[in-house]
Amino acid sequence: MSIVIAGAAETDEVGRLPGHSTMQLHLEAARNALADADMTIHDIDGVATVGTPGPIQIAHALGITPAWLDGTGVGGSSFLFHVRHAAAAIKAGLCRTVLITHGESGRSRVGAGRFGLGADSLLGQFELPYGVIGPPTSFTITALRYMKETGLTHEQLAEVAVAQRRWAHLNPRAMYRDLITVEDVLDSRMVAYPFHLLECCLVTDGGGALIVTSAERARRSPVHLLGSGEAAESPIISQMEDFTTSKGFRLSGEAAFAEAKITHEDVDHLMVYDAFAHVPIYGLEDLGFVGRGEAGAFIAEGHTSPGGRLPLNTNGGGLSYTHTGMYGMFAIQESVRQLRGEAAAQVPDVEVSVVLGNGGMFASAATLVLANRLP
Amino acid sequence: MKPAPKPTPETQPFWDGTAAGELRIQRCKPCARHYFYPRPSCPRCGGDEVEWVRASGRATLYSYVINHRPAPGFEDEAPYAIAVVELEEGVRMMTNLVGVPNTPEHLELDMELQVVFERRGDVSVPLFEPAGGAR
């Protein structure tokens, strides 16, 4: 049985949406994905989502009585996990067609869950006492070690933001579209040394939804799931085995490539979750597209930019397109658009696209290999 | 006021140690390996023959960021370093650096550090300063 993404859509707008609650973002994305798939709620018998308000409320609000639910919540990579889990459930006969939704009022915080963790939590005891204030001060902490061990320069780190802005420049939905230079990045406000503002992701409102089913049930432009992998490393970043490489990235990527039976030469397009500028560097190396310590130069030389041989984060990524807090849904959406030939910054002849998702601070990871044809 | 950790049963020995001016970590007896954060199961072998030992308090600077947007309680210190240090026993932990200007010029990776303790309400948290004392 071939599993496909039979429908994919984002909310009408992404960015600043103070008039939308989290719930509305989920439902708008769900309706858009159903329309995209030429399906109705009566086709859906499985629901997966993460965070607020959860799969029961989403199903109930839409009028779906699910035979299968997944509330796997492992951060921004959760949607990649949901696709993988939905594929397994459909193959096992537990359900036939799964709706995966994401909605997050990350910027406006309308109808959103509260941030914050107890002082007796793992983070509350071993990170928060040291003045950590969210991802900008913890996800970033591996970078100086990586720079020391590989020779990555501050200019090369800045080049990640520059390269992705070139894609955002071509995407009318991207929040930041003006072309930028390395000097612009290095002159932007310091957030947490060595990270400047333009090396940190946006904080936006928005949502997206996917419909996963078997190939024979798809009605239009199905995107085939050739392979997937999932992994986790450590719940707190200080306990990563090695600050210069993500075990989750490596293991989930190896599993997905093996199941898909592809090599790196088969990949036409790549999405790597980019909450911060160093993450695509880790992604390129940990997925094996370049050797250790080579990613900075690879990006600086333009290979991931428009016209380059490995188009990366072609919507502008979390750094320039949108980042609600859980970006993985948007990485999948862009991969689907590229495979259908419908992207704003369309790359010619994309047949195989790889999506690498991150959850937490290098805590969880998942990889999807998607294609617009069966091998 | 800076955030203070609240111990749980499995972490209480760690915080009892810091209150006594000692850095206590766990070690698996069969594996003879130290580990951190506190938990009742060896992350290498899965066994429960684990013990608390006193770490030397010597460490090196593994990585850090310098935060320019202070967390509540840290307003007077920004920009300040949030660091991960590697203890002589091979385990890593997050901390802050004291006794040294928190600037890139003064914070060299792999520099030698030693533990000190700072009182926060009912608990003491381990911080690190350059080996040989403040500079």
Coordinates of all heavy atoms in Angstrom, one line a residue, chain A residues 159-247:
Chain A
E159 N 25.4 33.8 6.9 CA 25.1 33.5 5.5 C 23.8 32.6 5.4 O 23.1 32.6 4.4 CB 26.2 32.7 4.8 CG 27.4 33.6 4.5 CD 27.3 34.3 3.1 OE1 26.3 34.3 2.5 OE2 28.4 34.9 2.7
V160 N 23.5 31.9 6.5 CA 22.3 31.0 6.5 C 21.1 31.9 6.4 O 20.2 31.7 5.6 CB 22.3 30.2 7.8 CG1 21.0 29.4 7.8 CG2 23.5 29.3 7.9
A161 N 21.1 33.0 7.1 CA 20.0 33.9 7.1 C 19.9 34.6 5.7 O 18.8 34.9 5.2 CB 20.1 35.0 8.2
V162 N 21.1 35.0 5.2 CA 21.1 35.6 3.9 C 20.5 34.7 2.8 O 19.7 35.2 2.0 CB 22.6 36.1 3.6 CG1 22.7 36.6 2.1 CG2 23.1 37.1 4.6
A163 N 21.0 33.5 2.8 CA 20.5 32.5 1.8 C 19.0 32.3 1.8 O 18.3 32.3 0.8 CB 21.3 31.2 1.9
Q164 N 18.5 32.2 3.0 CA 17.1 31.9 3.2 C 16.2 33.1 2.8 O 15.1 33.0 2.3 CB 16.7 31.4 4.6 CG 17.4 30.1 4.8 CD 16.9 29.3 6.0 OE1 17.5 28.3 6.3 NE2 15.9 29.8 6.6
R165 N 16.8 34.3 3.1 CA 16.1 35.5 2.7 C 15.9 35.7 1.2 O 15.0 36.2 0.6 CB 16.7 36.8 3.3 CG 15.9 38.1 3.1 CD 14.6 38.0 3.7 NE 14.7 38.0 5.2 CZ 14.8 39.1 6.0 NH1 14.9 40.3 5.4 NH2 14.9 38.9 7.3
R166 N 16.9 35.1 0.4 CA 16.8 35.1 -1.0 C 15.6 34.3 -1.5 O 14.9 34.7 -2.4 CB 18.0 34.5 -1.6 CG 19.3 35.3 -1.5 CD 20.5 34.7 -2.2 NE 21.7 35.4 -1.9 CZ 22.8 34.8 -1.4 NH1 22.8 33.5 -1.1 NH2 23.9 35.5 -1.1
W167 N 15.2 33.3 -0.8 CA 14.0 32.5 -1.1 C 12.8 33.3 -0.7 O 11.8 33.4 -1.4 CB 14.0 31.1 -0.4 CG 15.0 30.2 -1.0 CD1 16.1 29.7 -0.4 CD2 14.9 29.5 -2.3 NE1 16.8 28.8 -1.2 CE2 16.1 28.7 -2.4 CE3 14.0 29.6 -3.3 CZ2 16.3 27.9 -3.5 CZ3 14.2 28.8 -4.4 CH2 15.4 28.0 -4.5
A168 N 12.8 33.9 0.5 CA 11.7 34.6 1.0 C 11.4 35.8 0.1 O 10.2 36.2 0.0 CB 12.0 35.1 2.5
H169 N 12.4 36.4 -0.5 CA 12.3 37.5 -1.4 C 11.3 37.1 -2.5 O 10.6 38.0 -3.1 CB 13.6 37.9 -1.9 CG 13.6 39.1 -2.8 ND1 13.3 40.3 -2.4 CD2 13.9 39.2 -4.1 CE1 13.4 41.2 -3.4 NE2 13.8 40.5 -4.5
L170 N 11.3 35.8 -2.9 CA 10.4 35.4 -4.0 C 9.1 34.9 -3.5 O 8.3 34.4 -4.3 CB 11.2 34.2 -4.7 CG 12.6 34.5 -5.2 CD1 13.2 33.2 -5.7 CD2 12.5 35.5 -6.3
N171 N 8.8 35.0 -2.2 CA 7.6 34.4 -1.7 C 6.7 35.5 -1.1 O 7.0 36.0 0.0 CB 7.9 33.4 -0.6 CG 6.7 32.6 0.0 OD1 5.6 33.0 -0.4 ND2 7.0 31.7 0.8
P172 N 5.6 35.8 -1.7 CA 4.7 36.9 -1.2 C 4.2 36.7 0.2 O 3.8 37.7 0.8 CB 3.6 37.0 -2.3 CG 4.1 36.3 -3.5 CD 5.1 35.3 -3.0
R173 N 4.1 35.4 0.6 CA 3.5 35.2 1.9 C 4.6 35.3 3.0 O 4.2 35.3 4.2 CB 2.9 33.8 2.0 CG 1.5 33.8 1.5 CD 1.0 32.3 1.3 NE 0.8 31.6 2.5 CZ -0.3 31.5 3.2 NH1 -1.4 32.2 2.8 NH2 -0.4 30.7 4.3
A174 N 5.8 35.4 2.7 CA 6.9 35.5 3.7 C 6.8 36.8 4.5 O 6.5 37.8 3.9 CB 8.3 35.4 3.0
M175 N 7.0 36.7 5.8 CA 6.9 37.9 6.6 C 8.0 38.9 6.4 O 7.8 40.1 6.3 CB 6.9 37.5 8.1 CG 6.6 38.6 9.1 SD 5.8 37.9 10.5 CE 5.5 39.4 11.5
Y176 N 9.2 38.4 6.1 CA 10.3 39.3 5.8 C 10.8 39.0 4.4 O 11.2 37.8 4.2 CB 11.5 39.1 6.8 CG 11.1 39.6 8.2 CD1 11.5 38.9 9.3 CD2 10.4 40.8 8.4 CE1 11.2 39.3 10.6 CE2 10.1 41.2 9.7 CZ 10.5 40.5 10.8 OH 10.1 40.9 12.0
R177 N 10.8 40.0 3.5 CA 11.1 39.7 2.1 C 12.3 40.5 1.6 O 12.8 40.2 0.5 CB 9.9 40.0 1.3 CG 8.7 39.1 1.6 CD 7.6 39.3 0.6 NE 8.0 38.9 -0.7 CZ 7.5 39.4 -1.8 NH1 6.5 40.3 -1.7 NH2 8.0 39.1 -3.0
D178 N 12.7 41.5 2.3 CA 13.8 42.4 1.7 C 15.1 41.6 1.8 O 15.5 41.0 2.8 CB 13.9 43.7 2.5 CG 12.7 44.6 2.4 OD1 12.0 44.4 1.4 OD2 12.5 45.4 3.3
L179 N 15.9 41.7 0.7 CA 17.2 41.0 0.6 C 18.1 41.6 1.7 O 18.0 42.8 2.0 CB 17.8 41.1 -0.8 CG 17.1 40.4 -1.9 CD1 17.6 40.7 -3.2 CD2 17.2 38.9 -1.6
I180 N 18.9 40.8 2.3 CA 19.8 41.2 3.3 C 21.2 40.7 3.0 O 21.4 39.8 2.2 CB 19.4 40.7 4.7 CG1 19.2 39.2 4.7 CG2 18.2 41.4 5.2 CD1 19.0 38.6 6.1
T181 N 22.2 41.4 3.6 CA 23.6 41.0 3.5 C 24.2 40.5 4.8 O 23.5 40.6 5.9 CB 24.5 42.2 3.1 OG1 24.4 43.2 4.2 CG2 23.9 42.9 1.8
V182 N 25.3 39.9 4.7 CA 26.0 39.4 5.9 C 26.2 40.6 6.9 O 26.0 40.4 8.1 CB 27.4 38.8 5.6 CG1 28.2 38.6 6.8 CG2 27.1 37.4 4.9
E183 N 26.5 41.7 6.4 CA 26.7 42.9 7.3 C 25.4 43.3 8.0 O 25.4 43.6 9.2 CB 27.2 44.1 6.5 CG 28.6 44.0 5.9 CD 28.8 42.9 4.9 OE1 27.9 42.7 4.0 OE2 29.8 42.2 4.9
D184 N 24.3 43.2 7.2 CA 23.0 43.4 7.9 C 22.7 42.5 9.1 O 22.2 42.9 10.1 CB 21.8 43.3 6.9 CG 21.8 44.3 5.8 OD1 22.3 45.4 6.0 OD2 21.3 44.0 4.7
V185 N 23.1 41.2 8.8 CA 22.9 40.2 9.9 C 23.7 40.6 11.1 O 23.3 40.6 12.3 CB 23.1 38.8 9.4 CG1 23.0 37.8 10.5 CG2 22.2 38.5 8.2
L186 N 25.0 40.8 10.8 CA 26.0 41.0 11.9 C 25.7 42.4 12.6 O 26.1 42.5 13.8 CB 27.4 40.9 11.4 CG 27.8 39.6 10.8 CD1 29.2 39.6 10.3 CD2 27.6 38.4 11.9
D187 N 25.1 43.3 11.9 CA 24.7 44.6 12.5 C 23.4 44.6 13.3 O 23.1 45.5 14.0 CB 24.7 45.7 11.5 CG 26.1 46.0 10.9 OD1 27.1 45.7 11.6 OD2 26.1 46.7 9.9
S188 N 22.6 43.5 13.1 CA 21.3 43.5 13.8 C 21.6 43.2 15.3 O 22.6 42.7 15.7 CB 20.4 42.4 13.2 OG 20.9 41.1 13.3
R189 N 20.6 43.5 16.1 CA 20.7 43.5 17.5 C 21.2 42.1 18.0 O 20.7 41.0 17.5 CB 19.3 43.7 18.1 CG 19.2 43.8 19.6 CD 17.9 44.4 20.0 NE 16.7 43.7 19.6 CZ 16.2 42.6 20.2 NH1 16.9 42.1 21.3 NH2 15.1 42.0 19.8
M190 N 22.1 42.1 19.0 CA 22.5 40.8 19.6 C 21.4 40.3 20.5 O 20.9 41.0 21.4 CB 23.8 41.1 20.4 CG 24.5 39.8 20.9 SD 25.1 38.8 19.5 CE 26.7 39.6 19.2
V191 N 21.0 39.1 20.3 CA 20.0 38.4 21.1 C 20.7 37.6 22.2 O 20.5 37.7 23.4 CB 19.0 37.6 20.3 CG1 18.1 36.8 21.2 CG2 18.2 38.5 19.4
A192 N 21.5 36.6 21.7 CA 22.3 35.8 22.6 C 23.6 35.4 21.9 O 23.5 34.6 21.0 CB 21.5 34.6 23.1
Y193 N 24.7 36.1 22.2 CA 25.9 35.9 21.5 C 26.2 34.4 21.4 O 26.1 33.7 22.4 CB 27.1 36.5 22.2 CG 28.4 36.3 21.6 CD1 28.9 37.0 20.6 CD2 29.2 35.2 22.1 CE1 30.2 36.8 20.0 CE2 30.4 34.9 21.6 CZ 30.9 35.7 20.5 OH 32.1 35.4 20.0
P194 N 26.5 33.9 20.2 CA 26.8 34.6 18.9 C 25.6 34.9 18.0 O 25.8 35.2 16.8 CB 27.8 33.7 18.3 CG 27.3 32.3 18.6 CD 26.7 32.4 20.0
F195 N 24.4 34.8 18.5 CA 23.2 35.0 17.6 C 22.6 36.4 17.6 O 22.3 36.9 18.7 CB 22.1 34.0 18.0 CG 22.4 32.6 17.6 CD1 23.3 31.8 18.4 CD2 21.9 32.0 16.4 CE1 23.6 30.5 18.0 CE2 22.3 30.7 16.1 CZ 23.1 30.0 16.9
H196 N 22.6 36.9 16.4 CA 21.9 38.2 16.2 C 20.5 38.0 15.9 O 20.1 36.9 15.5 CB 22.6 39.0 15.1 CG 24.1 39.1 15.2 ND1 25.0 38.1 14.9 CD2 24.8 40.2 15.6 CE1 26.2 38.5 15.2 NE2 26.2 39.8 15.6
L197 N 19.7 39.1 15.9 CA 18.3 39.0 15.7 C 17.9 38.3 14.4 O 17.0 37.4 14.3 CB 17.6 40.4 15.7 CG 16.1 40.4 15.6 CD1 15.4 39.8 16.8 CD2 15.6 41.9 15.4
L198 N 18.7 38.6 13.3 CA 18.3 38.0 12.0 C 18.7 36.6 11.9 O 18.5 35.9 10.9 CB 18.9 38.9 10.9 CG 18.3 40.3 10.7 CD1 19.1 41.0 9.6 CD2 16.9 40.2 10.4
E199 N 19.4 36.0 12.9 CA 19.8 34.6 12.9 C 18.8 33.8 13.8 O 19.0 32.6 14.0 CB 21.2 34.4 13.5 CG 22.2 34.9 12.5 CD 23.6 35.3 13.1 OE1 23.6 35.7 14.3 OE2 24.6 35.1 12.4
C200 N 17.7 34.5 14.3 CA 16.7 33.9 15.1 C 15.4 33.9 14.4 O 15.1 34.8 13.6 CB 16.5 34.7 16.4 SG 18.0 34.9 17.4
C201 N 14.5 32.9 14.6 CA 13.3 32.7 13.9 C 12.3 33.8 14.3 O 12.4 34.5 15.3 CB 12.7 31.3 14.1 SG 12.1 31.1 15.8
L202 N 11.3 33.9 13.4 CA 10.2 34.8 13.7 C 9.3 34.2 14.8 O 9.5 33.1 15.2 CB 9.3 34.9 12.4 CG 10.0 35.3 11.1 CD1 9.1 35.0 10.0 CD2 10.2 36.8 11.2
V203 N 8.4 35.0 15.3 CA 7.3 34.5 16.1 C 6.0 34.9 15.5 O 5.7 36.1 15.4 CB 7.4 35.0 17.6 CG1 6.3 34.4 18.4 CG2 8.8 34.7 18.1
T204 N 5.2 34.0 15.0 CA 4.0 34.4 14.2 C 2.8 33.6 14.6 O 2.9 32.6 15.5 CB 4.3 34.1 12.7 OG1 4.5 32.7 12.5 CG2 5.4 34.8 12.2
D205 N 1.7 33.9 14.1 CA 0.4 33.2 14.2 C 0.2 32.4 12.9 O 0.5 33.0 11.8 CB -0.7 34.1 14.5 CG -0.5 35.1 15.6 OD1 0.1 34.6 16.6 OD2 -0.9 36.2 15.5
G206 N -0.4 31.3 12.9 CA -0.8 30.6 11.7 C -1.1 29.1 11.9 O -1.1 28.7 13.1
G207 N -1.4 28.4 10.9 CA -1.7 27.0 11.0 C -1.6 26.3 9.6 O -1.3 27.0 8.6
G208 N -1.7 25.0 9.7 CA -1.6 24.2 8.5 C -2.2 22.9 8.8 O -2.4 22.5 9.9
A209 N -2.6 22.2 7.7 CA -3.2 20.9 7.9 C -2.9 20.0 6.7 O -2.6 20.5 5.6 CB -4.7 21.0 8.0
L210 N -2.9 18.7 7.0 CA -2.5 17.7 6.0 C -3.6 16.6 6.0 O -4.2 16.3 7.1 CB -1.2 17.0 6.4 CG 0.0 17.9 6.4 CD1 1.2 17.2 7.1 CD2 0.4 18.3 5.0
I211 N -3.8 15.9 4.9 CA -4.6 14.8 4.9 C -3.8 13.6 4.3 O -3.2 13.7 3.2 CB -5.9 15.0 4.0 CG1 -6.8 16.0 4.8 CG2 -6.6 13.7 3.7 CD1 -7.9 16.6 4.0
V212 N -3.7 12.6 5.1 CA -2.8 11.4 4.8 C -3.8 10.2 4.6 O -4.7 10.0 5.4 CB -1.8 11.1 5.9 CG1 -1.0 9.9 5.6 CG2 -0.9 12.3 6.2
T213 N -3.6 9.5 3.5 CA -4.4 8.4 3.2 C -3.7 7.4 2.3 O -2.5 7.6 2.0 CB -5.8 8.9 2.6 OG1 -6.7 7.8 2.5 CG2 -5.6 9.5 1.2
S214 N -4.4 6.4 1.8 CA -3.7 5.5 0.8 C -3.9 6.1 -0.6 O -4.8 6.9 -0.9 CB -4.4 4.1 0.9 OG -5.8 4.3 0.8
A215 N -3.0 5.7 -1.5 CA -2.9 6.3 -2.8 C -4.3 6.1 -3.5 O -4.7 7.1 -4.2 CB -1.8 5.6 -3.6
E216 N -4.9 5.0 -3.3 CA -6.2 4.8 -4.1 C -7.3 5.7 -3.6 O -8.3 5.9 -4.4 CB -6.6 3.3 -4.1 CG -6.8 2.7 -2.7 CD -5.5 2.0 -2.2 OE1 -4.4 2.4 -2.6 OE2 -5.6 1.1 -1.4
R217 N -7.2 6.2 -2.4 CA -8.3 7.1 -1.9 C -8.0 8.6 -2.3 O -8.9 9.4 -2.1 CB -8.4 7.0 -0.4 CG -9.0 5.7 0.0 CD -9.2 5.7 1.5 NE -9.6 4.3 1.9 CZ -10.9 4.0 1.9 NH1 -11.9 4.9 1.6 NH2 -11.3 2.8 2.2
A218 N -6.8 8.9 -2.7 CA -6.5 10.3 -3.0 C -7.2 10.7 -4.3 O -7.4 10.0 -5.2 CB -5.0 10.4 -3.2
R219 N -7.6 12.0 -4.3 CA -8.4 12.5 -5.4 C -7.6 13.4 -6.3 O -8.0 13.6 -7.5 CB -9.7 13.2 -4.9 CG -10.5 12.2 -4.2 CD -11.9 12.7 -3.9 NE -12.6 11.6 -3.1 CZ -13.3 11.7 -2.0 NH1 -13.5 12.9 -1.6 NH2 -13.8 10.7 -1.4
R220 N -6.5 14.1 -5.8 CA -5.8 15.0 -6.7 C -4.3 15.1 -6.1 O -4.1 15.1 -4.9 CB -6.4 16.4 -6.8 CG -6.5 17.1 -5.5 CD -7.0 18.5 -5.7 NE -6.1 19.3 -6.5 CZ -5.2 20.2 -6.0 NH1 -5.1 20.3 -4.7 NH2 -4.4 20.9 -6.7
S221 N -3.4 15.2 -7.1 CA -2.0 15.6 -6.8 C -1.4 14.9 -5.5 O -0.9 15.6 -4.7 CB -1.8 17.1 -6.6 OG -2.4 17.7 -7.7
P222 N -1.5 13.6 -5.5 CA -1.0 12.9 -4.3 C 0.5 13.0 -4.2 O 1.2 13.0 -5.2 CB -1.4 11.5 -4.4 CG -1.6 11.3 -5.8 CD -2.1 12.6 -6.4
V223 N 1.0 13.2 -3.0 CA 2.5 13.2 -2.7 C 2.8 12.0 -2.0 O 2.2 11.7 -0.9 CB 2.9 14.5 -2.0 CG1 4.3 14.4 -1.4 CG2 2.8 15.7 -2.9
H224 N 3.7 11.1 -2.5 CA 3.9 9.8 -1.9 C 4.9 10.0 -0.7 O 5.9 10.7 -0.8 CB 4.5 8.9 -2.9 CG 3.5 8.6 -4.0 ND1 2.6 7.5 -4.0 CD2 3.2 9.2 -5.2 CE1 1.9 7.5 -5.1 NE2 2.2 8.5 -5.8
L225 N 4.6 9.2 0.4 CA 5.6 9.1 1.5 C 6.4 7.9 1.2 O 6.0 6.8 1.3 CB 4.8 8.9 2.8 CG 5.7 8.7 4.0 CD1 6.5 9.9 4.4 CD2 4.8 8.3 5.2
L226 N 7.7 8.1 0.8 CA 8.6 7.0 0.5 C 9.3 6.4 1.7 O 9.6 5.3 1.7 CB 9.7 7.5 -0.6 CG 9.2 8.0 -1.9 CD1 10.4 8.2 -2.8 CD2 8.2 7.1 -2.6
G227 N 9.5 7.3 2.7 CA 10.2 6.8 3.9 C 10.1 7.8 5.0 O 9.8 9.0 4.7
S228 N 10.2 7.3 6.2 CA 10.2 8.2 7.4 C 11.0 7.7 8.5 O 11.3 6.5 8.5 CB 8.8 8.4 7.8 OG 8.2 7.2 8.3
G229 N 11.4 8.5 9.4 CA 12.2 8.1 10.6 C 11.9 9.0 11.7 O 11.5 10.2 11.5
E230 N 12.0 8.5 12.9 CA 11.8 9.3 14.1 C 12.8 9.0 15.2 O 13.3 7.8 15.2 CB 10.4 9.2 14.7 CG 10.0 7.8 15.2 CD 8.6 7.7 15.6 OE1 7.7 7.7 14.7 OE2 8.3 7.7 16.8
A231 N 13.2 10.0 16.0 CA 14.2 9.7 17.0 C 14.0 10.8 18.1 O 13.3 11.8 17.9 CB 15.6 9.8 16.4
A232 N 14.7 10.6 19.2 CA 14.8 11.6 20.3 C 16.2 11.5 20.9 O 16.8 10.4 20.9 CB 13.7 11.3 21.3
E233 N 16.6 12.6 21.5 CA 17.9 12.6 22.1 C 17.8 12.9 23.6 O 17.7 12.0 24.4 CB 18.9 13.5 21.4 CG 20.3 13.4 22.1 CD 21.5 13.9 21.3 OE1 21.3 14.4 20.2 OE2 22.6 13.9 21.9
S234 N 17.7 14.2 24.0 CA 17.7 14.5 25.4 C 16.6 15.6 25.7 O 16.5 16.5 24.8 CB 19.0 15.1 25.8 OG 19.0 15.8 27.0
P235 N 15.9 15.5 26.8 CA 14.9 16.5 27.1 C 15.5 17.9 27.5 O 14.8 18.9 27.4 CB 14.2 15.9 28.3 CG 15.2 15.0 29.0 CD 16.0 14.5 27.9
I236 N 16.8 17.9 27.9 CA 17.4 19.2 28.1 C 18.7 19.3 27.3 O 19.5 18.3 27.3 CB 17.6 19.5 29.6 CG1 18.4 18.3 30.3 CG2 16.3 19.8 30.3 CD1 18.7 18.7 31.8
I237 N 19.0 20.4 26.8 CA 20.0 20.5 25.8 C 21.4 20.2 26.4 O 22.3 19.7 25.7 CB 20.0 21.9 25.0 CG1 20.8 21.8 23.7 CG2 20.4 23.0 26.0 CD1 20.5 22.9 22.7
S238 N 21.6 20.5 27.7 CA 22.9 20.3 28.3 C 23.3 18.8 28.2 O 24.5 18.5 28.3 CB 22.9 20.8 29.7 OG 22.0 20.1 30.5
Q239 N 22.3 17.9 28.0 CA 22.6 16.5 28.0 C 22.7 15.9 26.6 O 22.7 14.7 26.5 CB 21.6 15.8 28.9 CG 21.6 16.3 30.3 CD 22.9 16.3 31.0 OE1 23.7 15.3 31.0 NE2 23.3 17.5 31.5
M240 N 22.8 16.7 25.6 CA 23.1 16.2 24.3 C 24.4 15.5 24.4 O 25.3 16.0 25.0 CB 23.2 17.3 23.3 CG 21.9 17.8 22.6 SD 22.3 19.2 21.5 CE 22.7 18.2 20.0
E241 N 24.6 14.4 23.6 CA 25.9 13.7 23.7 C 27.0 14.5 23.2 O 28.2 14.5 23.7 CB 25.8 12.4 22.8 CG 25.0 11.3 23.5 CD 24.9 10.1 22.7 OE1 25.7 9.9 21.7 OE2 24.2 9.2 23.1
D242 N 26.8 15.3 22.1 CA 27.9 16.1 21.5 C 27.2 17.3 20.9 O 26.3 17.2 20.1 CB 28.5 15.2 20.4 CG 29.6 15.9 19.6 OD1 29.7 17.1 19.6 OD2 30.3 15.2 18.9
F243 N 27.7 18.5 21.3 CA 27.1 19.8 20.9 C 27.3 20.1 19.4 O 26.8 21.1 18.9 CB 27.6 20.9 21.7 CG 26.8 21.2 23.0 CD1 26.0 20.2 23.6 CD2 26.9 22.4 23.7 CE1 25.3 20.4 24.7 CE2 26.1 22.6 24.8 CZ 25.3 21.6 25.3
T244 N 28.0 19.3 18.7 CA 28.3 19.6 17.3 C 27.6 18.7 16.3 O 27.8 18.9 15.1 CB 29.8 19.4 17.0 OG1 30.2 18.0 17.0 CG2 30.7 20.2 18.0
T245 N 26.7 17.9 16.8 CA 25.9 17.0 15.9 C 24.6 16.6 16.7 O 24.7 16.3 17.9 CB 26.7 15.8 15.5 OG1 25.9 14.9 14.7 CG2 27.4 15.1 16.6
S246 N 23.5 16.4 15.9 CA 22.3 16.0 16.5 C 22.1 14.5 16.3 O 22.0 14.1 15.1 CB 21.1 16.8 15.9 OG 19.9 16.1 16.2
K247 N 22.0 13.7 17.3 CA 21.8 12.3 17.2 C 20.4 12.0 16.5 O 20.3 11.2 15.7 CB 21.9 11.6 18.5 CG 21.8 10.1 18.5 CD 22.3 9.4 19.7 CE 21.3 9.5 20.8 NZ 21.7 8.6 22.0

